[in-house]
Structure formats: C-alpha cells, structure tokens
Coordinates of all heavy atoms in Angstrom, one line a residue:
M13 N 0.8 -1.2 0.0 CA 0.0 0.0 0.0 C 0.9 1.2 0.0 O 1.8 1.3 0.8 CB -0.9 0.0 1.2 CG -1.9 1.2 1.3 SD -3.0 1.1 2.7 CE -1.9 1.8 4.0
E14 N 0.5 2.1 -0.9 CA 1.3 3.4 -0.9 C 0.4 4.5 -0.2 O -0.7 4.7 -0.6 CB 1.6 3.8 -2.3 CG 2.6 2.9 -3.0 CD 3.1 3.5 -4.3 OE1 3.2 4.7 -4.4 OE2 3.3 2.7 -5.2
I15 N 1.1 5.2 0.7 CA 0.3 6.3 1.3 C 1.1 7.6 1.1 O 2.4 7.6 0.9 CB 0.1 6.1 2.8 CG1 1.4 5.9 3.6 CG2 -0.8 4.9 3.0 CD1 1.2 6.0 5.0
Q16 N 0.4 8.7 1.2 CA 1.1 10.0 1.1 C 0.4 10.9 2.0 O -0.8 10.7 2.4 CB 1.1 10.5 -0.3 CG -0.2 11.0 -0.8 CD -0.2 11.7 -2.1 OE1 -0.7 11.2 -3.1 NE2 0.5 12.8 -2.1
N17 N 1.0 12.0 2.4 CA 0.4 13.0 3.2 C -0.4 13.9 2.3 O 0.2 14.7 1.6 CB 1.5 13.8 4.0 CG 0.9 14.9 4.9 OD1 -0.3 15.0 5.0 ND2 1.8 15.6 5.5
A18 N -1.7 13.8 2.4 CA -2.5 14.6 1.5 C -2.3 16.1 1.7 O -2.6 16.9 0.8 CB -4.0 14.3 1.7
M19 N -1.9 16.5 2.9 CA -1.7 17.9 3.1 C -0.6 18.5 2.2 O -0.7 19.7 1.9 CB -1.3 18.1 4.6 CG -2.3 17.7 5.6 SD -3.8 18.7 5.4 CE -3.4 20.2 6.2
E20 N 0.4 17.7 1.8 CA 1.4 18.2 0.9 C 0.8 18.8 -0.3 O 1.1 19.9 -0.8 CB 2.4 17.1 0.5 CG 3.3 16.7 1.7 CD 4.2 15.6 1.3 OE1 4.4 15.4 0.1 OE2 4.7 14.9 2.2
E21 N -0.1 18.1 -0.9 CA -0.8 18.5 -2.1 C -1.7 19.7 -1.9 O -1.7 20.7 -2.6 CB -1.6 17.3 -2.8 CG -2.3 17.6 -4.1 CD -1.3 17.9 -5.2 OE1 -0.1 17.5 -5.1 OE2 -1.7 18.5 -6.2
L22 N -2.5 19.6 -0.8 CA -3.5 20.6 -0.5 C -2.8 22.0 -0.2 O -3.2 23.0 -0.7 CB -4.4 20.2 0.7 CG -5.2 19.0 0.4 CD1 -5.9 18.5 1.7 CD2 -6.3 19.3 -0.6
V23 N -1.7 21.9 0.6 CA -1.1 23.1 1.0 C -0.3 23.7 -0.2 O -0.3 24.9 -0.4 CB -0.1 22.9 2.2 CG1 0.7 24.2 2.5 CG2 -0.9 22.4 3.4
S24 N 0.3 22.8 -1.0 CA 1.0 23.3 -2.2 C 0.0 24.0 -3.1 O 0.4 25.1 -3.7 CB 1.6 22.1 -2.9 OG 2.3 22.5 -4.1
Q25 N -1.1 23.5 -3.3 CA -2.1 24.1 -4.2 C -2.6 25.5 -3.7 O -2.7 26.5 -4.4 CB -3.4 23.2 -4.4 CG -3.1 22.0 -5.3 CD -4.3 21.1 -5.5 OE1 -5.4 21.5 -5.0 NE2 -4.2 20.0 -6.1
K26 N -2.8 25.5 -2.3 CA -3.2 26.8 -1.7 C -2.1 27.8 -1.8 O -2.4 29.0 -2.1 CB -3.6 26.5 -0.3 CG -4.2 27.7 0.5 CD -5.4 28.3 -0.3 CE -6.6 27.4 -0.2 NZ -7.8 28.0 -0.9
L27 N -0.9 27.4 -1.6 CA 0.2 28.3 -1.8 C 0.3 28.9 -3.2 O 0.5 30.1 -3.4 CB 1.5 27.6 -1.4 CG 2.8 28.4 -1.4 CD1 2.7 29.6 -0.4 CD2 4.0 27.6 -1.0
D28 N 0.1 28.0 -4.2 CA 0.1 28.5 -5.6 C -1.0 29.6 -5.8 O -0.8 30.5 -6.5 CB -0.2 27.3 -6.5 CG 1.0 26.5 -6.7 OD1 2.2 26.9 -6.4 OD2 0.9 25.3 -7.2
E29 N -2.1 29.4 -5.1 CA -3.3 30.3 -5.3 C -2.9 31.7 -4.7 O -3.3 32.7 -5.2 CB -4.5 29.8 -4.6 CG -5.2 28.7 -5.3 CD -6.4 28.1 -4.5 OE1 -7.1 28.9 -3.8 OE2 -6.6 26.9 -4.6
V30 N -2.3 31.7 -3.5 CA -2.1 32.9 -2.8 C -0.7 33.6 -3.0 O -0.6 34.8 -2.6 CB -2.4 32.8 -1.3 CG1 -3.8 32.3 -1.1 CG2 -1.4 31.8 -0.7
I31 N 0.2 32.9 -3.5 CA 1.6 33.4 -3.5 C 1.8 34.7 -4.2 O 2.6 35.6 -3.8 CB 2.6 32.3 -4.0 CG1 4.0 32.7 -3.5 CG2 2.5 32.1 -5.5 CD1 5.0 31.5 -3.5
D32 N 1.0 34.9 -5.3 CA 1.1 36.2 -6.0 C 0.7 37.4 -5.2 O 1.1 38.5 -5.5 CB 0.2 36.1 -7.3 CG 0.9 35.2 -8.4 OD1 2.1 35.0 -8.3 OD2 0.1 34.8 -9.3
S33 N -0.2 37.2 -4.2 CA -0.6 38.3 -3.4 C 0.2 38.4 -2.1 O 0.0 39.3 -1.3 CB -2.1 38.0 -3.0 OG -2.2 36.9 -2.2
L34 N 1.2 37.6 -1.9 CA 2.0 37.6 -0.7 C 3.3 38.5 -1.0 O 3.8 38.5 -2.0 CB 2.5 36.2 -0.3 CG 1.4 35.2 0.0 CD1 2.0 33.8 0.2 CD2 0.7 35.7 1.2
D35 N 3.6 39.2 0.1 CA 4.8 40.1 0.0 C 6.0 39.3 0.5 O 6.5 39.5 1.6 CB 4.5 41.3 1.0 CG 5.8 42.2 1.0 OD1 6.6 42.2 0.0 OD2 6.0 42.9 2.0
C36 N 6.5 38.5 -0.4 CA 7.6 37.6 0.0 C 8.3 37.2 -1.3 O 7.8 37.3 -2.4 CB 7.2 36.4 0.8 SG 6.3 35.2 -0.2
C37 N 9.6 36.7 -1.1 CA 10.3 36.1 -2.2 C 9.6 34.9 -2.7 O 9.0 34.1 -2.0 CB 11.7 35.7 -1.8 SG 12.7 34.9 -3.1
K38 N 9.5 34.7 -4.1 CA 8.7 33.6 -4.6 C 9.6 32.6 -5.4 O 9.1 31.8 -6.2 CB 7.7 34.2 -5.6 CG 6.6 35.1 -4.8 CD 5.8 36.0 -5.8 CE 4.8 36.8 -5.0 NZ 5.4 37.8 -4.2
C39 N 10.9 32.6 -5.0 CA 11.7 31.6 -5.7 C 11.5 30.2 -5.1 O 10.8 30.0 -4.1 CB 13.2 32.0 -5.4 SG 13.8 31.6 -3.8
Q40 N 12.0 29.2 -5.8 CA 11.7 27.8 -5.4 C 12.2 27.5 -4.0 O 11.5 26.8 -3.3 CB 12.4 26.9 -6.4 CG 11.6 26.7 -7.7 CD 10.3 26.1 -7.5 OE1 10.1 25.1 -6.9 NE2 9.3 26.8 -8.1
Q41 N 13.3 28.1 -3.6 CA 13.8 27.8 -2.3 C 12.9 28.3 -1.2 O 12.5 27.6 -0.3 CB 15.2 28.4 -2.1 CG 15.8 28.2 -0.7 CD 16.1 26.8 -0.5 OE1 16.9 26.1 -1.2 NE2 15.5 26.2 0.6
C42 N 12.4 29.6 -1.4 CA 11.5 30.2 -0.4 C 10.2 29.5 -0.4 O 9.6 29.3 0.7 CB 11.4 31.7 -0.6 SG 12.9 32.6 -0.2
R43 N 9.7 29.1 -1.6 CA 8.4 28.4 -1.7 C 8.5 27.1 -0.9 O 7.6 26.7 -0.2 CB 8.1 28.2 -3.2 CG 6.7 27.8 -3.5 CD 6.5 27.5 -4.9 NE 5.2 27.0 -5.2 CZ 4.8 25.8 -5.0 NH1 5.7 24.9 -4.5 NH2 3.6 25.4 -5.2
K44 N 9.6 26.4 -1.1 CA 9.8 25.1 -0.4 C 9.8 25.3 1.1 O 9.3 24.5 1.9 CB 11.0 24.4 -0.8 CG 10.8 23.5 -2.1 CD 11.9 22.6 -2.3 CE 13.1 23.3 -2.9 NZ 14.2 22.4 -3.3
D45 N 10.5 26.4 1.6 CA 10.6 26.7 3.0 C 9.3 27.0 3.6 O 9.0 26.6 4.7 CB 11.6 27.9 3.2 CG 13.1 27.4 3.0 OD1 13.3 26.2 2.9 OD2 13.9 28.3 2.9
I46 N 8.5 27.8 2.9 CA 7.1 28.1 3.3 C 6.3 26.9 3.4 O 5.6 26.7 4.4 CB 6.5 29.2 2.4 CG1 7.2 30.5 2.4 CG2 5.0 29.4 2.8 CD1 6.9 31.4 1.3
L47 N 6.4 26.1 2.4 CA 5.6 24.8 2.4 C 6.0 23.9 3.5 O 5.1 23.4 4.2 CB 5.9 24.1 1.0 CG 5.0 23.0 0.6 CD1 3.5 23.4 0.6 CD2 5.4 22.5 -0.8
A48 N 7.3 23.8 3.8 CA 7.8 22.9 4.9 C 7.3 23.4 6.2 O 6.8 22.7 7.1 CB 9.3 22.8 4.8
Y49 N 7.4 24.7 6.4 CA 6.9 25.3 7.7 C 5.4 25.1 7.9 O 5.0 24.6 8.9 CB 7.2 26.8 7.7 CG 6.8 27.4 9.0 CD1 7.6 27.5 10.1 CD2 5.5 27.9 9.2 CE1 7.2 28.1 11.3 CE2 5.1 28.5 10.4 CZ 5.9 28.5 11.4 OH 5.5 29.1 12.6
A50 N 4.6 25.3 6.8 CA 3.2 25.2 7.0 C 2.8 23.7 7.3 O 2.0 23.4 8.1 CB 2.5 25.6 5.7
L51 N 3.5 22.8 6.6 CA 3.2 21.4 6.8 C 3.6 20.9 8.2 O 2.9 20.0 8.8 CB 4.0 20.5 5.7 CG 3.3 20.6 4.3 CD1 4.3 19.9 3.3 CD2 2.0 19.9 4.3
N52 N 4.6 21.5 8.8 CA 5.0 21.1 10.1 C 4.0 21.6 11.1 O 3.9 21.1 12.2 CB 6.4 21.7 10.5 CG 7.5 20.8 9.9 OD1 7.4 19.6 9.8 ND2 8.6 21.5 9.5
R53 N 3.3 22.7 10.8 CA 2.3 23.3 11.7 C 1.0 22.6 11.6 O 0.2 22.6 12.5 CB 2.0 24.8 11.3 CG 3.2 25.7 11.5 CD 3.3 26.2 12.9 NE 2.0 26.7 13.3 CZ 1.8 27.4 14.4 NH1 2.9 27.7 15.1 NH2 0.6 27.9 14.7
L54 N 0.7 21.9 10.5 CA -0.6 21.3 10.3 C -0.6 19.8 10.6 O 0.4 19.1 10.4 CB -1.0 21.5 8.8 CG -1.2 23.0 8.5 CD1 -1.2 23.2 6.9 CD2 -2.6 23.5 9.0
T55 N -1.7 19.3 11.0 CA -1.8 17.9 11.2 C -1.8 17.1 9.9 O -2.6 17.5 9.0 CB -3.2 17.6 11.9 OG1 -3.3 18.4 13.1 CG2 -3.2 16.1 12.3
P56 N -0.9 16.2 9.7 CA -0.9 15.4 8.5 C -2.1 14.6 8.2 O -2.8 14.2 9.2 CB 0.3 14.5 8.6 CG 0.8 14.6 10.0 CD 0.1 15.7 10.7
K57 N -2.5 14.4 7.0 CA -3.6 13.6 6.6 C -3.1 12.5 5.6 O -2.9 12.8 4.5 CB -4.7 14.4 6.0 CG -5.5 15.2 7.0 CD -6.7 15.9 6.3 CE -7.4 16.9 7.2 NZ -7.9 16.3 8.5
Y58 N -2.8 11.4 6.2 CA -2.2 10.3 5.3 C -3.4 9.5 4.6 O -4.4 9.2 5.2 CB -1.4 9.4 6.1 CG -0.1 10.0 6.6 CD1 0.0 10.5 7.9 CD2 0.9 10.3 5.7 CE1 1.2 11.1 8.4 CE2 2.1 10.9 6.1 CZ 2.2 11.4 7.5 OH 3.3 12.0 7.9
V59 N -3.2 9.4 3.3 CA -4.2 8.7 2.5 C -3.6 7.7 1.6 O -2.4 7.7 1.3 CB -5.0 9.7 1.6 CG1 -5.8 10.7 2.5 CG2 -4.0 10.5 0.7
D60 N -4.4 6.7 1.3 CA -4.0 5.7 0.3 C -4.0 6.4 -1.1 O -5.0 6.9 -1.5 CB -5.0 4.5 0.3 CG -4.6 3.4 -0.6 OD1 -3.8 3.7 -1.5 OD2 -5.2 2.3 -0.5
T61 N -2.9 6.4 -1.7 CA -2.8 7.1 -3.0 C -3.7 6.6 -4.0 O -4.1 7.3 -5.0 CB -1.3 7.1 -3.5 OG1 -0.9 5.7 -3.6 CG2 -0.4 7.9 -2.7
K62 N -4.1 5.3 -3.9 CA -5.0 4.8 -4.9 C -6.4 5.3 -4.8 O -7.1 5.4 -5.8 CB -5.1 3.2 -4.8 CG -3.8 2.6 -5.2 CD -3.9 1.0 -5.3 CE -2.7 0.4 -5.9 NZ -1.5 0.6 -5.0
K63 N -6.8 5.8 -3.6 CA -8.1 6.4 -3.5 C -8.1 7.8 -4.0 O -9.1 8.4 -4.3 CB -8.5 6.4 -2.0 CG -9.0 5.0 -1.5 CD -9.5 5.1 -0.1 CE -9.9 3.7 0.4 NZ -9.9 3.6 1.9
G64 N -6.9 8.4 -4.0 CA -6.8 9.7 -4.6 C -7.1 10.8 -3.6 O -7.6 10.6 -2.5
L65 N -6.8 12.0 -4.1 CA -7.0 13.2 -3.2 C -8.4 13.7 -3.2 O -8.8 14.5 -2.3 CB -6.0 14.3 -3.6 CG -4.6 14.0 -3.3 CD1 -3.7 15.0 -4.0 CD2 -4.3 13.9 -1.8
A66 N -9.2 13.4 -4.2 CA -10.6 13.9 -4.3 C -11.4 13.6 -3.1 O -12.1 14.4 -2.5 CB -11.3 13.3 -5.6
F67 N -11.2 12.3 -2.6 CA -11.9 11.9 -1.4 C -11.5 12.8 -0.2 O -12.4 13.3 0.5 CB -11.5 10.5 -1.1 CG -12.0 9.9 0.2 CD1 -13.3 9.5 0.3 CD2 -11.2 9.9 1.4 CE1 -13.8 9.0 1.5 CE2 -11.7 9.4 2.6 CZ -13.0 9.0 2.7
V68 N -10.3 13.1 0.0 CA -9.8 14.0 1.1 C -10.4 15.4 0.9 O -10.9 16.0 1.8 CB -8.3 14.1 1.1 CG1 -7.9 15.0 2.2 CG2 -7.7 12.7 1.4
K69 N -10.3 15.9 -0.3 CA -10.8 17.3 -0.5 C -12.3 17.5 -0.2 O -12.6 18.4 0.5 CB -10.6 17.7 -2.0 CG -9.2 18.0 -2.3 CD -9.0 18.3 -3.8 CE -7.5 18.5 -4.1 NZ -7.2 18.5 -5.5
V70 N -13.1 16.5 -0.6 CA -14.5 16.6 -0.3 C -14.7 16.7 1.2 O -15.6 17.4 1.7 CB -15.3 15.4 -0.9 CG1 -16.7 15.3 -0.4 CG2 -15.3 15.5 -2.4
N71 N -13.9 15.9 1.9 CA -14.1 15.8 3.4 C -13.4 16.8 4.2 O -13.7 16.9 5.4 CB -13.7 14.4 3.8 CG -14.7 13.3 3.5 OD1 -15.7 13.2 4.1 ND2 -14.4 12.7 2.4
T72 N -12.5 17.6 3.6 CA -11.8 18.5 4.4 C -11.9 20.0 4.0 O -11.4 20.8 4.7 CB -10.3 18.2 4.4 OG1 -9.8 18.1 3.0 CG2 -10.0 16.8 5.0
M73 N -12.5 20.2 2.8 CA -12.5 21.6 2.4 C -13.6 22.4 2.9 O -14.4 23.1 2.2 CB -12.5 21.7 0.8 CG -11.1 21.6 0.2 SD -10.0 22.9 0.8 CE -8.4 22.4 0.3
D74 N -13.7 22.5 4.3 CA -14.6 23.4 4.9 C -13.8 24.7 5.2 O -12.6 24.7 5.1 CB -15.2 22.8 6.1 CG -14.2 22.4 7.2 OD1 -13.5 23.3 7.6 OD2 -14.2 21.2 7.5
V75 N -14.6 25.7 5.7 CA -14.0 27.0 5.9 C -12.8 27.0 6.9 O -11.8 27.5 6.7 CB -15.0 28.0 6.3 CG1 -14.4 29.4 6.6 CG2 -16.0 28.2 5.1
Q76 N -13.1 26.3 8.0 CA -12.1 26.3 9.1 C -10.8 25.6 8.6 O -9.7 26.1 8.9 CB -12.6 25.6 10.3 CG -11.7 25.7 11.5 CD -11.4 27.1 11.9 OE1 -12.2 27.9 12.1 NE2 -10.1 27.4 12.0
F77 N -10.9 24.6 7.9 CA -9.8 23.9 7.3 C -8.9 24.8 6.4 O -7.7 24.8 6.5 CB -10.3 22.6 6.6 CG -9.1 21.7 6.1 CD1 -8.4 20.9 7.0 CD2 -8.8 21.7 4.7 CE1 -7.4 20.1 6.5 CE2 -7.8 20.9 4.3 CZ -7.1 20.1 5.2
E78 N -9.6 25.5 5.6 CA -8.9 26.4 4.7 C -8.2 27.6 5.5 O -7.1 28.0 5.1 CB -9.9 27.0 3.7 CG -9.3 27.5 2.4 CD -10.3 27.7 1.3 OE1 -11.3 27.0 1.3 OE2 -10.0 28.5 0.4
I79 N -8.9 28.0 6.5 CA -8.3 29.1 7.4 C -7.0 28.6 8.0 O -6.0 29.2 8.1 CB -9.3 29.6 8.4 CG1 -10.4 30.4 7.7 CG2 -8.6 30.4 9.5 CD1 -11.6 30.8 8.6
D80 N -7.1 27.3 8.5 CA -5.9 26.7 9.2 C -4.7 26.6 8.2 O -3.6 27.0 8.6 CB -6.2 25.3 9.7 CG -7.2 25.3 10.9 OD1 -7.4 26.4 11.4 OD2 -7.7 24.3 11.2
I81 N -5.0 26.2 7.0 CA -4.0 26.2 5.9 C -3.4 27.5 5.7 O -2.2 27.7 5.6 CB -4.5 25.5 4.6 CG1 -4.8 24.0 4.9 CG2 -3.5 25.7 3.5 CD1 -5.3 23.3 3.7
L82 N -4.3 28.5 5.4 CA -3.8 29.9 5.1 C -3.0 30.5 6.3 O -2.0 31.1 6.1 CB -5.0 30.8 4.8 CG -5.6 30.6 3.4 CD1 -6.9 31.3 3.3 CD2 -4.6 31.0 2.3
T83 N -3.5 30.2 7.5 CA -2.7 30.8 8.7 C -1.3 30.2 8.7 O -0.3 30.9 8.9 CB -3.5 30.4 10.0 OG1 -4.8 31.0 9.9 CG2 -2.8 31.0 11.2
A84 N -1.2 28.9 8.5 CA 0.1 28.2 8.5 C 1.0 28.8 7.4 O 2.2 29.0 7.6 CB 0.0 26.7 8.4
I85 N 0.4 29.0 6.2 CA 1.2 29.6 5.1 C 1.7 31.0 5.4 O 2.8 31.3 5.2 CB 0.3 29.6 3.8 CG1 0.1 28.2 3.2 CG2 1.0 30.5 2.7 CD1 -0.8 28.1 2.1
Y86 N 0.8 31.8 6.0 CA 1.2 33.2 6.3 C 2.3 33.2 7.4 O 3.2 34.0 7.3 CB -0.1 34.0 6.8 CG -1.1 34.2 5.7 CD1 -2.4 34.4 6.0 CD2 -0.7 34.3 4.4 CE1 -3.4 34.6 5.1 CE2 -1.7 34.5 3.4 CZ -3.0 34.7 3.7 OH -3.9 34.9 2.8
E87 N 2.2 32.3 8.3 CA 3.2 32.2 9.4 C 4.5 31.8 8.7 O 5.6 32.4 9.1 CB 2.8 31.3 10.5 CG 1.8 31.8 11.4 CD 1.3 30.8 12.4 OE1 1.9 29.7 12.5 OE2 0.3 31.1 13.2
G88 N 4.5 30.9 7.8 CA 5.7 30.4 7.1 C 6.3 31.6 6.3 O 7.5 31.7 6.3
V89 N 5.5 32.4 5.7 CA 5.9 33.5 4.9 C 6.7 34.5 5.8 O 7.8 35.0 5.5 CB 4.8 34.3 4.2 CG1 5.2 35.6 3.7 CG2 4.2 33.4 3.1
E90 N 6.2 34.8 7.0 CA 6.8 35.7 7.9 C 8.2 35.1 8.3 O 9.2 35.9 8.4 CB 6.0 35.9 9.2 CG 4.7 36.7 8.9 CD 5.0 38.1 8.3 OE1 5.9 38.8 8.8 OE2 4.4 38.4 7.2
I91 N 8.3 33.8 8.6 CA 9.5 33.2 9.0 C 10.5 33.3 7.9 O 11.7 33.7 8.1 CB 9.3 31.7 9.4 CG1 8.3 31.6 10.6 CG2 10.6 31.1 9.7 CD1 8.9 32.1 11.9
V92 N 10.1 33.0 6.7 CA 11.0 32.9 5.5 C 11.5 34.3 5.2 O 12.6 34.5 4.8 CB 10.3 32.2 4.3 CG1 11.2 32.4 3.1 CG2 10.1 30.7 4.6
K93 N 10.6 35.3 5.4 CA 11.0 36.7 5.1 C 12.1 37.2 6.0 O 13.0 37.9 5.7 CB 9.8 37.7 5.3 CG 9.0 37.9 4.0 CD 7.7 38.5 4.3 CE 7.8 39.9 4.6 NZ 6.4 40.5 4.8
K94 N 12.0 36.7 7.3 CA 13.0 37.1 8.3 C 14.3 36.3 8.2 O 15.4 36.7 8.4 CB 12.5 36.9 9.7 CG 11.5 38.0 10.1 CD 10.9 37.7 11.5 CE 9.7 38.7 11.7 NZ 8.7 38.1 12.7
H95 N 14.1 35.0 7.8 CA 15.3 34.1 7.7 C 15.3 33.4 6.3 O 15.2 32.2 6.3 CB 15.3 33.1 8.8 CG 15.1 33.7 10.2 ND1 16.1 34.3 10.8 CD2 14.0 33.8 11.0 CE1 15.7 34.8 12.0 NE2 14.4 34.5 12.1
P96 N 15.5 34.1 5.2 CA 15.6 33.4 3.9 C 16.9 32.6 3.9 O 17.9 32.9 4.5 CB 15.7 34.6 2.9 CG 16.2 35.8 3.7 CD 15.7 35.6 5.1
H97 N 16.8 31.5 3.1 CA 17.9 30.6 3.0 C 18.8 31.0 1.8 O 19.5 30.2 1.3 CB 17.4 29.2 2.8 CG 17.0 28.5 4.1 ND1 16.4 27.3 4.1 CD2 17.2 28.9 5.3 CE1 16.2 27.0 5.4 NE2 16.6 28.0 6.2
H98 N 18.8 32.2 1.5 CA 19.7 32.8 0.4 C 19.8 34.2 0.7 O 19.0 34.8 1.4 CB 19.1 32.5 -1.0 CG 17.8 33.1 -1.2 ND1 17.5 34.4 -1.3 CD2 16.5 32.5 -1.3 CE1 16.2 34.6 -1.5 NE2 15.6 33.5 -1.5
S99 N 20.8 34.8 0.1 CA 21.1 36.3 0.3 C 20.0 37.1 -0.4 O 19.6 36.7 -1.5 CB 22.5 36.7 -0.1 OG 22.7 36.2 -1.5
L100 N 19.6 38.2 0.2 CA 18.6 39.0 -0.4 C 19.2 40.0 -1.4 O 20.4 40.3 -1.4 CB 18.0 39.9 0.7 CG 17.1 39.1 1.7 CD1 16.8 40.0 2.9 CD2 15.8 38.6 1.1
P101 N 18.4 40.4 -2.4 CA 18.9 41.4 -3.3 C 19.4 42.7 -2.6 O 18.9 43.0 -1.5 CB 17.7 41.7 -4.2 CG 16.8 40.6 -4.0 CD 17.0 40.1 -2.6
E102 N 20.3 43.4 -3.2 CA 20.8 44.6 -2.5 C 19.8 45.7 -2.3 O 19.8 46.4 -1.3 CB 22.0 45.2 -3.3 CG 23.3 44.3 -3.3 CD 23.8 44.1 -1.8 OE1 23.9 45.1 -1.1 OE2 24.1 43.0 -1.5
T103 N 18.9 45.8 -3.3 CA 17.9 46.9 -3.2 C 16.7 46.5 -2.4 O 16.3 45.4 -2.4 CB 17.5 47.4 -4.6 OG1 17.0 46.2 -5.3 CG2 18.6 48.0 -5.4
G104 N 16.1 47.5 -1.8 CA 14.8 47.3 -1.2 C 14.9 46.6 0.2 O 13.9 46.2 0.7
T105 N 16.1 46.5 0.8 CA 16.2 45.9 2.1 C 16.4 46.9 3.2 O 16.7 46.4 4.3 CB 17.3 44.8 2.1 OG1 18.5 45.5 1.7 CG2 17.0 43.7 1.1
Q106 N 16.4 48.1 2.9 CA 16.8 49.1 3.9 C 15.7 49.3 5.0 O 15.9 49.7 6.1 CB 17.1 50.5 3.3 CG 18.4 50.4 2.4 CD 19.6 49.9 3.1 OE1 19.9 50.4 4.2 NE2 20.2 48.9 2.6
N107 N 14.5 49.2 4.6 CA 13.4 49.5 5.5 C 12.9 48.2 6.1 O 11.8 48.0 6.4 CB 12.2 50.2 4.8 CG 12.7 51.6 4.4 OD1 13.4 52.2 5.1 ND2 12.3 52.0 3.2
Ligands
ZN17 ZN1 13.8 33.3 -2.3

C-alpha cells in the first residue's frame, strides 16, 4: 500500500493560489521553505494514494480547514522573510 500526506498537495495548491498576493520572495527555495513550515504546523492527513486526493478534498475543504492552511502559510511567509535561505537582493532591504 502506498500512502502519502494529502496535506502536501493541498497546502501546495493553496500556496500557488495565494503566493502572487504575498509580500515575499517567490523563488523555489523560499516556496519550499514556506511549504515545509506550513506542513509542520498542520496535522498530516495520510491517505492511500489509490483512493486519490478527491476523497480528502470533499471531506476537508470546509472554511475552518482552509483558514488553518492559510494561517500556516502566512506564518511560514513571515519566518522565511526574516530568515531566507539565500542572500537578499541589495535593493529594497533598507526598510
Ligand atoms: Zn527566495
């Protein structure tokens, strides 16, 4: 049996939806850091990959669940902004 953490897919999709509106670096490294932080904050949902993610989405996509995901993403963004895993551009860092 193959299982995966359904949250990886759900949080990744949500991050794609909101990242354009976020005031943060959007490179692959920062995106992965935000994703990792959010996933560590959220309770994992392990599913049988053969059943697919549709089953999980139907059962989890209520408002509170979405708020929890967004909150974790926003917290991850704040952490990554303060501690990026790469050097920042020279401009725009004075304030
Ligand atoms: Zn970056």
Side-chain angles (χ1 to χ4, degrees):
M13 184 178 80
E14 289 190 39
I15 61 168
Q16 71 173 115
N17 180 5
M19 294 301 280
E20 290 180 17
E21 181 68 19
L22 296 172
V23 176
S24 179
Q25 284 179 9
K26 185 55 71 180
L27 184 57
D28 283 343
E29 282 177 37
V30 300
I31 197 159
D32 284 342
S33 65
L34 297 174
D35 176 26
C36 68
C37 177
K38 297 163 177 72
C39 76
Q40 281 300 309
Q41 179 65 59
C42 290
R43 194 182 176 282
K44 274 194 286 186
D45 286 346
I46 294 167
L47 194 56
Y49 181 89
L51 286 169
N52 280 328
R53 295 275 310 195
L54 295 160
T55 306
K57 285 187 188 301
Y58 292 103
V59 294
D60 184 342
T61 50
K62 289 192 176 61
K63 282 182 184 161
L65 292 169
F67 174 79
V68 176
K69 282 177 187 167
V70 168
N71 283 279
T72 55
M73 271 305 166
D74 60 59
V75 173
Q76 185 57 50
F77 185 73
E78 203 160 336
I79 289 171
D80 289 346
I81 289 177
L82 283 171
T83 302
I85 288 173
Y86 293 152
E87 285 177 7
V89 167
E90 290 304 312
I91 299 291
V92 170
K93 270 165 74 176
K94 284 176 190 153
H95 308 284
H97 280 172
H98 57 71
S99 52
L100 291 167
E102 289 299 315
T103 54
T105 57
Q106 295 304 310
N107 294 322

